[in-house]
Amino acid sequence: MKAEDFRISKLGKATIASPIRQIEFISDEAAVAYDSDPHLLAQYLRRGVEIPAFEQAGPRAKIYHDPAWTKAAILTAGGLCPGLNDVIKFLTRTLRIQYGVPLVYGIRYGYRGLNPDHKLQPILLDDANTDDIHESGGTILGSSRGAEDPVVMVDTLARMNINVLFCIGGDGTARGAHDIAQEAARRGLSISVIAIPKTIDNDIAFIDKSFGFETAVYMAGMFATGAHSEAKGAYNGIGLIKVMGRDSGFIAAYATLANSYVNYCLVPEEKFTLDDDGPHALLPHLAARMEEKHHAVIMVAEGAGQELFENAAAQRDASGNLLNKDIGLLLKEKINDYFKARSLEVNVKYFDLAYTIRSVPAHGADAVFCAMLAQNAVHAAMAGRTDMVIGHWGTHFTHVPIALATRERKKIKLDSPLWTSVKATTIF
C-alpha cells in the first residue's frame, strides 16, 4: 500500500467556522494507520516513506459548505439491510440540528430517483417524518438496483442546487457515488458526495465493519437455535440454515462462533465436495455424524459451493452482481438422495434466511454504529470532503477514498484467527 492511495478529495479550503458548539474538533492532520504492526511501521520510518494511513473522521473546526445555503440529499440503493432507516434519521438530524441545514431531500428508489425519466418526486425530510423510522426495517426512501447515467444524475443535482449527497449502499452504490463525484468535478461543481457502507455481508475492503452486520449475525443465531431444536427433535435430524454471503462468508462464520450448536460452516472462501470420499467431502462426513450423534446443524453462506452446479448458465442482477444458484436447496436435495441411496433415514429441516435477516430493524450496538456513521458522514461532507466512504478501522471512524474501498472485496482469510476459531468449534 502507498500513502497516496489514502488521499481524500476536497472541494476546496474550509474557511467557515463550524456552528457546532461544546465539542472536540478533529485536526485535519489526524490519521489512523492502515497497518498497526510496529515492525512494518518501523520499516516505513527507516526508509523515510510516508506511512499509509486513513484520514480520521470527525467534526472539523472549519467547514467548507455554508450551512445556511446548503441543500442535502440522501438516497439508499441496492438490497435491504438492517439500519437503513437509522442512518437516514441521523443524517437528517445531524444536518438540521447540529449544522442548521434548512433543506434535506430524500431521493426515492436509489439512483433511479435522480433520473427525471422515472418521475419520482423527492421527499422533504425533517425531524417529524424521521422521528420513529428507526423502529422499522427496510428504508422509507425505497431502493433499487441498476446504474443511471452520471451526466443525467448530476444534471438533476445541479437543477435542485444540491451540494451535499449521501449514498447509502454497498460497493455498487459506492461506485455510482464515485461516478457522480467525478462528473461533478469535471463540471467544476462543489458537490460533496459521501458513501455510507451498507452490506450485511461485511465485505467492503479497508473497512473493518459495515452496519447491519451485527444484527444479521444475531438474527442468524436465533434461527440456529431453532434449527438445533428441530434437528434434535427428529431421528437423524439435520438443521440446514442458508444465510447471505455472496462472495464472503462473514455472517456464516460469526453466527457459527456465536452459536455452538453449529457443526458445519460452509463459506465461499473454502471449497468442499459432496460425496467423493475425500477429506473435503461433506456427505460421508455427515453420514458418520448421524451414525454417532443422530443430529447436526449446518450453516451455509449463499455463495458457498457454487462450483457444485454443473453446466449452470451465469446470471446477473440489475447491478451486474453474479446471481448465485441456491446452494441451500442443492444441499437439501443431495443430502436426501445420499441417505436414501443407502437406505438410511434422514430428516432435513431447511431455513432460508436470505430475506428474513436483511429486512429487520437494527438493534443494540448496530443501531449505535448507524448513528455514529451518519454523524461522521455529515461532518465529512460539511468539511468539503468528497468521493469517499465513511469507514471504521480499529477504534476510529475513517475517511476512505471510494476508489480504494471498491478496489477489491473483503473475504475471510483461511489462515486468520477468525477462521481458525470457526474450525476449532466445528467438526468439518
Side-chain angles (χ1 to χ4, degrees), residues 284-330:
H285 198 285
L286 190 58
R289 164 79 183 183
M290 291 299 103
E291 184 176 351
E292 179 184 1
K293 298 290 187 180
H294 302 295
H295 69 275
V297 176
I298 303 171
M299 183 79 68
V300 58
E302 62 178 325
Q306 293 302 300
E307 64 280 356
L308 302 176
F309 293 88
E310 298 178 357
N311 304 319
Q315 294 180 308
R316 296 184 181 274
D317 64 17
S319 296
N321 298 310
L322 188 67
L323 292 172
N324 287 316
K325 304 300 184 291
D326 198 322
I327 185 60
L329 290 178
L330 178 70

Side-chain angles (χ1 to χ4, degrees), residues 177-205:
H178 173 72
D179 291 342
I180 291 174
Q182 293 289 300
E183 175 62 19
R186 186 185 68 79
R187 301 189 195 186
L189 300 176
S190 293
I191 302 175
S192 287
V193 183
I194 309 295
I196 302 174
K198 171 235 69 177
T199 164
I200 63 174
D201 292 353
N202 199 33
D203 59 356
I204 297 182

Side-chain angles (χ1 to χ4, degrees), residues 28-41:
D28 281 343
E29 284 68 50
V32 179
Y34 165 65
D35 199 316
S36 59
D37 186 333
H39 299 292
L40 285 177
L41 294 177

Side-chain angles (χ1 to χ4, degrees), residues 26-27 30 32 54-60 372 376-377 379-380 388 390-391 396-399:
I26 300 296
S27 166
V32 179
F54 302 102
E55 184 176 78
Q56 186 175 335
R60 265 56 180 180
M372 298 181 75
N376 281 292
H379 296 323
M388 54 151 281
I390 285 292
H396 296 282
F397 287 91
T398 58
H399 297 166

Side-chain angles (χ1 to χ4, degrees), residues 186-423:
R186 186 185 68 79
R187 301 189 195 186
L189 300 176
S190 293
I191 302 175
S192 287
V193 183
I194 309 295
I196 302 174
K198 171 235 69 177
T199 164
I200 63 174
D201 292 353
N202 199 33
D203 59 356
I204 297 182
F206 301 95
I207 294 172
D208 59 20
K209 184 174 67 171
S210 54
F211 76 84
F213 175 67
E214 289 188 9
T215 300
V217 170
Y218 172 77
M219 292 297 297
M222 291 179 60
F223 282 93
T225 301
H228 177 66
S229 298
E230 288 284 355
K232 291 198 72 174
Y235 181 78
N236 279 1
I238 297 173
L240 174 60
I241 311 161
K242 187 183 79 172
V243 297
M244 298 190 77
R246 182 188 291 121
D247 299 293
S248 308
F250 287 105
I251 294 177
Y254 275 77
T256 295
L257 287 176
N259 299 276
S260 55
Y261 304 128
V262 180
N263 309 112
Y264 300 82
C265 180
L266 309 175
V267 297
E269 292 87 344
E270 184 173 75
K271 306 301 181 187
F272 67 94
T273 57
L274 292 175
D275 58 357
D276 61 5
D277 294 322
H280 300 291
L282 174 65
L283 297 179
H285 198 285
L286 190 58
R289 164 79 183 183
M290 291 299 103
E291 184 176 351
E292 179 184 1
K293 298 290 187 180
H294 302 295
H295 69 275
V297 176
I298 303 171
M299 183 79 68
V300 58
E302 62 178 325
Q306 293 302 300
E307 64 280 356
L308 302 176
F309 293 88
E310 298 178 357
N311 304 319
Q315 294 180 308
R316 296 184 181 274
D317 64 17
S319 296
N321 298 310
L322 188 67
L323 292 172
N324 287 316
K325 304 300 184 291
D326 198 322
I327 185 60
L329 290 178
L330 178 70
L331 286 177
K332 180 182 178 182
E333 175 189 343
K334 295 297 184 181
I335 291 170
N336 282 321
D337 290 348
Y338 185 85
F339 279 78
K340 183 178 180 180
R342 288 155 181 77
S343 301
L344 297 173
E345 181 181 353
V346 69
N347 291 281
V348 181
K349 313 295 183 180
Y350 179 45
F351 301 76
D352 186 343
L353 308 188
Y355 293 99
T356 302
I357 64 176
R358 77 177 196 169
S359 56
V360 300
H363 69 91
D366 214 359
V368 174
F369 189 63
C370 290
M372 298 181 75
L373 274 173
Q375 290 167 342
N376 281 292
V378 174
H379 296 323
M382 295 304 293
R385 271 53 173 182
T386 190
D387 200 7
M388 54 151 281
V389 179
I390 285 292
H392 190 270
W393 198 252
T395 58
H396 296 282
F397 287 91
T398 58
H399 297 166
V400 186
I402 293 178
L404 183 63
T406 57
R407 177 186 293 183
E408 61 190 46
R409 193 178 298 277
K410 185 171 66 176
K411 295 176 178 288
I412 296 174
K413 295 180 180 179
L414 298 182
D415 60 351
S416 66
L418 169 63
W419 193 242
T420 299
S421 295
V422 170
K423 300 305 285 186

